[in-house]
Amino acid sequence: AQKITQTQPGMFVQEKEAVTLDCTYDTSDPSYGLFWYKQPSSGEMIFLIYQGSYDQQNATEGRYSLNFQKARKSANLVISASQLGDSAMYFCAMRVNTGNQFYFGTGTSLTVIP
Amino acid sequence: GAGVSQSPSNKVTEKGKDVELRCDPISGHTALYWYRQSLGQGLEFLIYFQGNSAPDKSGLPSDRFSAERTGGSVSTLTIQRTQQEDSAVYLCASSLELVHDEQFFGPGTRLTVL
């Protein structure tokens, strides 16, 4: 079975601090991609970062980095220097290349405190 | 350039009626995806198209749901004999190619079944 698990329904972080949002996944397919999306209160889904299962290096995009631990099947998102505008829902997702279906976690609500 | 657009933005219907939701992907994007997001939940993958073809329809919740895509562009998601549990936000996304990293999401259609 394919599954994405986000165990933190809500997180708080002080402005300018770093925060880690957890994501674990489960798949028997050796070829897959892992994604993080941000969904502000306005509702739009915004792509943040991607990690392929064969990528050797952890993905980074500006203040976002993905801590990819393949053996543990985890793909945690690290946001450095949090900003008030980072307050949103964050979804971890997985695309399994066989079948090309996407699986989303239930999300983590991040609140950045001034 | 124009992003993914969806119409209508809101739809209120009575139980038992049919509804049709429309998605206009970004021009040139060959892959198109439909998702459903219930209140406070993550995204549920429904179906994807590569061109006009939908290789896997197993994500559709029931046989009341169908989707088509014509001309490799516009897609419609049709729900027949709507039920109250169909109430959700229906999101459409497109990507340049099927295995491209980033999906661009539309604003969604909020469906309410009374």
Side-chain angles (χ1 to χ4, degrees), chain A residues 35 37 39 45 47 50 91 95 99-102 104-106, chain B residues 35 37 42-43 45 48 56 58 98-103 105:
Chain A
F35 303 75
Y37 286 87
Q39 188 177 42
M45 293 286 287
F47 166 80
Y50 166 81
F91 291 97
R95 181 196 67 227
N100 287 299
Q101 290 215 4
F102 272 80
F104 278 75
T106 51
Chain B
Y35 297 88
Q37 186 175 29
L43 274 68
F45 176 81
Y48 77 90
D56 183 358
S58 63
L98 190 60
V99 293
H100 199 261
D101 299 348
E102 182 176 357
Q103 293 183 25
F105 280 80

Side-chain angles (χ1 to χ4, degrees), chain B residues 5 11 14-15 18 20-21 25-26 30-31 39 42 46 48 56 61 63 66 72 85 88 97:
Chain B
S5 61
K11 176 71 177 178
E14 293 179 349
K15 179 181 171 181
D18 297 351
E20 194 171 273
L21 312 180
I26 292 173
T30 63
L39 187 64
L46 299 180
Y48 77 90
D56 183 358
D63 59 7
S66 62
E85 60 263 28
E97 297 170 353

